[in-house]
Amino acid sequence: MSASEDIWILGIHMTKFGKHPTLDSVDLGAEAIIGALADGGVTMADMGILAAGNLMGSGGIGQQLQKQVGQTGIPVYNVSNACATGATALRTAIMAIRAGECDMGLAVGVEKLAGAGLLGGGGKPKSDEKVWDPSGRYGAVANPDGRIGTNTMPGVFAQIGMEYGHKYGGATFELFARISEKNHAHSTLNPLAAYSKAMTLEQIMGDMMIAYPNTRSMCSANCDGAAAAVVVSGEKLRTLSKEQQRRAVKVSASILTTDPWEEACQILPNVNTLTKNAATQAYEKAGGGPADLDLVEWHDCFATAELVHYDNLGLCEEGGAVEFFESGATWRTGLLPVNVSGGLESKGHPIAATGIANIWEICQHLRDECGDRQIEGAKVGLAHVIGLGSSCGVHILEKSGL
Amino acid sequence: MNQVPLVDYLVLGNQPHLAVNRCTSCGANFFDRRNACAACFGTSFEKADVPTGGVLTAFTIVTFAAPGIDVPFVAGVVDCGGISVRANVINTPPDPEHVSLGMKVRLATYSLGLDDQGTEAVGFGFEPA
Ligand SMILES: [Zn+2]
């Protein structure tokens, strides 16, 4: 085997997102793996690597899954990269193929999150506040969360959207709610979404406030789910059947970045610069630009987050995100549909599965297999995730020309 | 009365203020204990005072928080002369009518109460200026 630059997705599968009270993480992950292998027309015997992600579980999800779907002795990489975990698992498999270690690999992400409640807040409250005792890297005598800003995810991402508004204007409560209205409307065509009900602007704005300006329906939905993908080198793909070659989706860019240091980046997470960097690298690698994209799935973990990425991924001029959204371009029927799946706000966000599920959505459109929500003639799509802390994964995918 | 700051970068006294660890090579500012500079990898730092006045550049009004935290409260980022500070906005009603992007604010301290040894913890926030 030689190092390969030419990487393809051969098979991919996502489970229904939502509540699965009778299934555990291994059940869901196994369903995704078996589905992806069947979709690609291959078996565990063909896999040379397994990369697996699961954030909330007990660890070692890769080996737990092998014990159900096939123990072939291949290397397992258990990866963890916050909400970018799924994308990181996929990229791990891609790197192994690119390095010439194997010609086929498997990536899976799975999460059990239904009913998990608010993420990121608080941690362990100090029960012994009887003596003010400094501890930690800030010498804090009490938990800073809630006393010095907020660590809750809805609150952090609310500020990220508001910061954009401070810089460029126009980012009102109503504007953010209308982004959510779009994604909830899109979800009505997605049978795998955790929530697939359209919501009116009044319902969204009148919903329970979580962290202004994010109401409950503007927050990603905690749910259970899994997604898995089989990746293959171009050389190997050309030895497979015509049908496998036709349905395969080309990975024309697979990029992972973290945030470079800049003023304030350790105060409020900066999800902008690392996304801009990832997008620039991805467009360069794919030899194209935003104008070539037919659809985009990205990390709308909160309505306030979707806004800033119109700008970060270069879909509009710097500072033009509000105007770009208001043009209607990002609706399913618009010039450049964003989050046709319903996005994380309605499809759901089982953290480690999200990065592969976004790619599944793009693949279904590129294969012309997306049913009622098919974007006609889709040839190129982009999938983006942010893991706070931070990591950004961007994949550009292309319809097979084989 | 003995006082202790909520965090070690809050300097108490007649004129309470915040102080950063500033990299002596590149000038990058940090609030936490440092091993090295994230910008230039230098390992030498000096204390520098942060201006007590600033502008609110981002905020949210948090309705759901960890147990023991009174809600709603305003969390935000304040630009204090080019140094961004994470803080709550205090001494004003926590609603969008009273808190706005770009508003001028200034540092204010408040008591977190006494411990069993009679020491008072003092926290900080920013109030409308
Ligand atoms: Zn430095």
Side-chain angles (χ1 to χ4, degrees):
Chain A
M1 271 177 289
S2 58
S4 174
E5 271 293 313
D6 189 12
I7 308 283
W8 298 71
I9 290 173
L10 181 63
I12 190 160
H13 186 82
M14 75 173 267
T15 68
K16 160 103 177 121
F17 282 7
K19 294 189 177 82
H20 292 287
T22 61
L23 302 178
D24 63 16
S25 297
V26 174
D27 291 321
L28 289 166
E31 181 185 329
I33 287 176
I34 291 166
L37 291 168
D39 186 49
V42 289
T43 74
M44 279 305 289
D46 300 303
M47 300 300 112
I49 174 185
L50 170 61
N54 172 235
L55 283 187
M56 309 310 242
S58 55
I61 186 71
Q63 286 86 345
Q64 290 179 49
L65 285 166
Q66 277 185 305
K67 288 178 175 63
Q68 296 301 322
V69 301
Q71 290 176 258
T72 54
I74 57 172
V76 165
Y77 297 84
N78 290 298
V79 306
S80 169
N81 231 350
C83 303
T85 294
T88 305
L90 182 69
R91 192 169 150 65
T92 303
I94 288 172
M95 287 193 300
I97 294 172
R98 220 174 249 161
E101 293 209 358
C102 53
D103 53 26
M104 253 188 243
L106 182 61
V108 61
V110 56
E111 213 71 67
K112 285 281 291 180
L113 262 188
L118 185 70
L119 297 183
K124 220 167 68 185
K126 278 202 165 185
S127 54
D128 56 343
E129 284 179 7
K130 301 283 187 201
V131 176
W132 300 121
D133 187 19
S135 68
R137 299 197 73 91
Y138 297 99
V141 301
N143 190 343
D145 181 33
R147 296 185 171 95
I148 304 176
T150 181
N151 294 339
T152 64
M153 291 297 117
V156 169
F157 279 96
Q159 292 175 79
I160 286 166
M162 295 291 272
E163 183 190 39
Y164 189 89
H166 175 64
K167 264 189 177 157
Y168 303 112
T172 60
F173 177 25
E174 187 186 321
L175 177 98
F176 291 121
R178 284 201 284 122
I179 291 175
S180 188
E181 180 191 21
K182 164 182 76 75
N183 291 341
H184 285 292
H186 286 171
S187 75
T188 59
L189 297 175
N190 186 355
L192 297 185
Y195 300 95
S196 48
K197 271 205 294 232
M199 294 187 75
T200 65
L201 195 58
E202 293 67 35
Q203 286 173 319
I204 292 165
M205 294 179 76
D207 202 351
M208 188 192 301
M209 184 60 75
I210 304 292
Y212 179 90
N214 286 323
T215 64
R216 184 173 52 185
S217 40
M218 295 159 74
C219 297
S220 53
N222 289 332
C223 67
D224 307 334
V230 173
V231 285
V232 63
S233 71
E235 204 181 330
K236 178 74 179 175
L237 178 64
R238 286 172 181 86
T239 69
L240 302 179
S241 75
K242 278 280 166 244
E243 180 65 359
Q244 283 166 310
Q245 295 185 35
R246 186 190 65 77
R247 289 185 74 249
V249 170
K250 189 176 183 193
V251 181
S252 39
S254 169
I255 304 292
L256 190 68
T257 58
T258 59
D259 47 337
W261 192 85
E262 56 195 302
E263 208 287 315
C265 77
Q266 295 191 10
I267 302 301
L268 179 68
N270 182 333
V271 301
N272 303 317
T273 305
L274 84 169
T275 299
K276 286 178 180 162
N277 290 350
T280 304
Q281 290 175 41
Y283 293 137
E284 195 182 306
K285 201 89 178 169
D292 299 309
L293 302 175
D294 296 307
L295 77 157
V296 183
E297 283 287 310
W298 75 56
H299 207 69
D300 64 320
C301 49
F302 299 92
T304 45
E306 173 156 328
L307 180 76
V308 300
H309 297 313
Y310 295 139
D311 198 321
N312 293 331
L313 291 171
L315 308 193
C316 61
E317 308 246 301
E318 189 186 333
V322 171
E323 199 185 340
F324 183 67
F325 173 72
E326 284 178 340
S327 77
T330 63
W331 282 75
R332 198 176 72 83
T333 48
L335 280 176
L336 182 44
V338 173
N339 291 330
V340 174
S341 67
L344 277 48
E345 293 162 62
S346 31
K347 179 176 67 178
H349 184 23
I351 304 177
T354 293
I356 297 176
N358 285 354
I359 286 168
W360 177 86
E361 178 74 19
I362 302 281
C363 288
Q364 297 314 97
H365 289 278
L366 299 181
R367 291 162 152 186
D368 205 6
E369 295 177 6
C370 216
D372 291 342
R373 65 184 187 286
Q374 175 70 40
I375 302 297
E376 290 306 324
K379 288 190 170 56
V380 185
L382 183 151
H384 158 274
V385 285
I386 284 278
L388 209 62
S390 299
S391 292
C392 175
V394 168
H395 287 85
I396 296 181
L397 304 153
E398 275 182 68
K399 189 184 186 74
S400 174
L402 298 177
Chain B
M1 184 177 11
N2 270 342
Q3 286 189 326
V4 60
L6 170 58
V7 283
D8 59 16
Y9 60 86
L10 170 63
V11 181
L12 301 176
N14 290 337
Q15 287 173 319
H17 62 278
L18 305 179
V20 287
N21 293 314
R22 178 168 294 165
C23 174
T24 56
S25 315
C26 77
N29 298 307
F30 301 94
F31 286 98
D32 62 345
R33 173 160 59 82
R34 298 305 301 179
N35 300 95
C37 176
C40 79
F41 334 128
T43 53
S44 166
F45 295 88
E46 63 190 2
K47 289 281 176 198
D49 292 349
V50 178
T52 54
V55 171
L56 188 66
T57 60
F59 76 90
T60 180
I61 304 165
V62 178
T63 323
F64 284 86
I69 299 295
D70 291 334
V71 290
F73 69 90
V74 181
V77 177
V78 179
D79 180 343
C80 294
I83 302 174
S84 294
V85 180
R86 176 201 283 227
N88 289 2
V89 177
I90 60 173
N91 301 336
T92 192
D95 60 54
E97 285 70 50
H98 292 87
V99 181
S100 57
L101 292 169
M103 76 188 278
K104 289 195 165 61
V105 291
R106 65 179 170 228
L107 189 83
T109 58
Y110 64 94
S111 176
L112 288 164
L114 304 181
D115 67 11
D116 290 347
Q117 297 164 358
T119 300
E120 181 186 38
V122 177
F124 73 92
F126 284 81
E127 63 184 12

